[in-house]
Amino acid sequence: MAAVGAGGSTAAAGPGAVSVGALEPGTASAGETGCGQAVGSGVGGGAHRRFKYISLAVLVVQNASLILSIRYARTLPGDRFFATTAVVMAEVLKGLTCLLLLFAQKRGNVKHLVLFLHEAVLVQYVDTLKLAVPSLIYTLQNNLQYVAISNLPAATFQVTYQLKILTTALFSVLMLNRSLSRLQWASLLLLFTGVAIVQAQQAGGGGPRPLDQNPGAGLAAVVASCLSSGFAGVYFEKILKGSSGSVWLRNLQLGLFGTALGLVGLWWAEGTAVARRGFFFGYTPAVWGVVLNQAFGGLLVAVVVKYADNILKGFATSLSIVLSTAASIRLFGFHVDPLFALGAGLVIGAVYLYSLPRGAAKAIASTSASTSGPCIHQQPPGQPPPSQLSSHRGDLITEPFLPKSVLVK
């Protein structure tokens, strides 16, 4: 499930989240304006830098650990748990957590909480119903990820899943009439090429493969997951633009729909088997670790993502690929051959290029051309900086770098 981040956006915590009000990939962050020097200084600037490093660590660990933990739990010998039950449990825990946080915001006053939820969920039912579609898609996406990770090595999935950047960009162009820079289009082409190379390596038999794994099914599942992630993130932004609501309220609403729709999916796909063997059949400490990671990892990302600019998110994605690959070698005996290394390298490079602000190249050129005098982007005291948003109004706003959760999914 995607988690809703501050401002209403969603981010892929685990695979997936989107955060509303976050930075546009085509524009510089507040700390990247001027000649690349951070805006603000002193104690506040130091604290902000520390939070940025903390957010980087959280994004990397959550992104890599969710994929690795699912892969580990799905490949353990013995009884295999039902993935649909894990999706439902994650939604239940996430919803309960958001409910407790809202309860704390109301200072423990049950009456105020009930009145607030009645107004936000029932009286404003139109806004609530708007979340049904993205919640349905995110529930489908979570189930598809289990299928994909069960049939693909963790490192291969991590690389291939970056296609969500491509799908998010395309849906933003089609549905929101956004424009991409030439560099971003080139990076998307590079991204697709890198993923194709990795899949060619996988199809060519890159290393031993368990008999119960189907790489074709895994690829189909990850592509469908990327398509659903891109559409849901853009659709979520489109329908909720301008609406109010706290991060925890939005995630509670998503959790309500996610739980209901997850139960429907459980009944349709594995209802008979679950009824015969039990809801928690095959649950081990490793499985509970996956459920807790899905439930709380995305919420944690929703909290810290506001401290991360787009370059930091792109860097976190790149580090997650490297970390997943290194851990896969150690845990699963994954073999990195030159073809995989080439494809993964192209994907990492594409993610970095895509996350660069549009004015980065011009800023570098201006800095190298003039070594003295005031920065060309500096503004006299009291005057606002030149508007970049007006010239980049069509840039992509949706955050494709986060695991399905800022939303939390």
Side-chain angles (χ1 to χ4, degrees):
M1 164 186 177
V4 175
S9 65
T10 57
V18 181
S19 41
V20 172
L23 294 168
E24 301 183 14
T27 52
S29 69
E32 296 163 345
T33 57
C35 294
Q37 296 176 344
V39 175
S41 58
V43 177
H48 183 72
R49 282 194 296 272
R50 285 195 296 273
F51 277 120
K52 286 186 68 174
Y53 292 133
I54 292 173
S55 67
L56 172 64
V58 170
L59 291 174
V60 171
V61 172
Q62 202 278 337
N63 202 359
S65 64
L66 179 60
I67 294 170
L68 291 169
S69 61
I70 292 177
R71 177 67 179 177
Y72 179 75
R74 296 296 281 177
T75 55
L76 283 175
D79 295 327
R80 178 176 285 191
F81 67 100
F82 299 111
T84 51
T85 65
V87 171
V88 170
M89 281 304 304
E91 296 295 333
V92 169
L93 291 176
K94 196 177 303 178
L96 289 176
T97 301
C98 292
L99 185 62
L100 289 175
L101 290 170
L102 289 171
F103 181 64
Q105 286 183 350
K106 300 302 176 182
R107 302 183 182 277
N109 191 311
V110 177
K111 181 179 179 181
H112 287 176
L113 177 63
V114 171
L115 291 174
F116 169 75
L117 292 177
H118 177 268
E119 172 69 23
V121 178
L122 298 179
V123 176
Q124 301 180 25
Y125 67 92
V126 175
D127 275 353
T128 301
L129 291 176
K130 286 180 180 179
L131 292 170
V133 173
S135 184
L136 171 62
I137 298 173
Y138 284 129
T139 302
L140 173 64
Q141 182 184 355
N142 285 333
N143 283 284
L144 287 171
Q145 285 174 354
Y146 277 99
V147 176
I149 298 174
S150 299
N151 289 283
L152 292 174
T156 302
F157 172 85
Q158 181 77 287
V159 172
T160 308
Y161 192 63
Q162 301 316 311
L163 282 175
K164 64 187 176 182
I165 299 175
L166 172 62
T167 59
T168 301
L170 294 179
F171 280 119
S172 294
V173 170
L174 294 174
M175 296 172 61
L176 301 176
N177 296 321
R178 296 250 163 79
S179 65
L180 301 178
S181 67
R182 291 180 181 178
L183 179 61
Q184 287 176 320
W185 282 116
S187 67
L188 293 177
L189 178 61
L190 194 66
L191 173 70
F192 183 82
T193 302
V195 170
I197 291 175
V198 168
Q199 286 302 318
Q201 178 265 354
Q202 179 72 21
R209 179 187 306 148
L211 295 177
D212 61 342
Q213 293 185 15
N214 185 341
L219 176 59
V222 74
V223 170
S225 182
C226 289
L227 287 170
S228 62
S229 174
F231 176 79
V234 175
Y235 177 85
F236 185 88
E237 179 186 351
K238 185 179 179 70
I239 64 173
L240 288 186
K241 187 172 290 185
S243 65
S244 60
S246 71
V247 172
W248 311 125
L249 173 62
R250 291 304 183 208
N251 280 297
L252 173 60
Q253 291 170 315
L254 283 169
L256 292 174
F257 281 115
T259 300
L261 293 170
L263 287 171
V264 172
L266 183 156
W267 171 80
W268 181 76
E270 299 172 319
T272 303
V274 172
R276 184 174 71 254
R277 296 186 173 185
F279 188 92
F280 295 106
F281 174 79
Y283 272 55
T284 64
V287 177
W288 280 111
V290 170
V291 172
L292 294 175
N293 195 337
Q294 274 198 316
F296 302 123
L299 291 172
L300 182 60
V301 168
V303 173
V304 305
V305 71
K306 63 181 178 180
Y307 298 104
D309 55 38
N310 288 295
I311 294 180
L312 193 70
K313 292 170 191 172
F315 189 51
T317 299
S318 301
L319 285 179
S320 298
I321 294 175
V322 174
L323 180 60
S324 296
T325 302
S328 295
I329 295 173
R330 176 71 175 175
L331 295 174
F332 311 119
F334 182 72
H335 174 66
V336 178
D337 61 16
L339 205 57
F340 178 87
L342 173 61
L346 289 176
V347 170
I348 290 173
V351 170
Y352 173 75
L353 291 175
Y354 186 83
S355 65
L356 286 177
R358 281 192 176 184
K362 293 181 180 179
I364 294 172
S366 299
T367 303
S368 60
S370 176
T371 57
S372 62
C375 171
I376 60 172
H377 298 293
Q378 245 176 348
Q379 295 299 311
Q383 290 190 16
S387 173
Q388 292 178 341
L389 291 180
S390 60
S391 60
H392 298 306
R393 199 170 296 157
D395 286 350
L396 182 65
I397 294 177
T398 306
E399 298 297 340
F401 300 113
L402 296 182
K404 229 173 344 209
S405 275
V406 206
L407 277 178
V408 177
K409 280 251 176 221

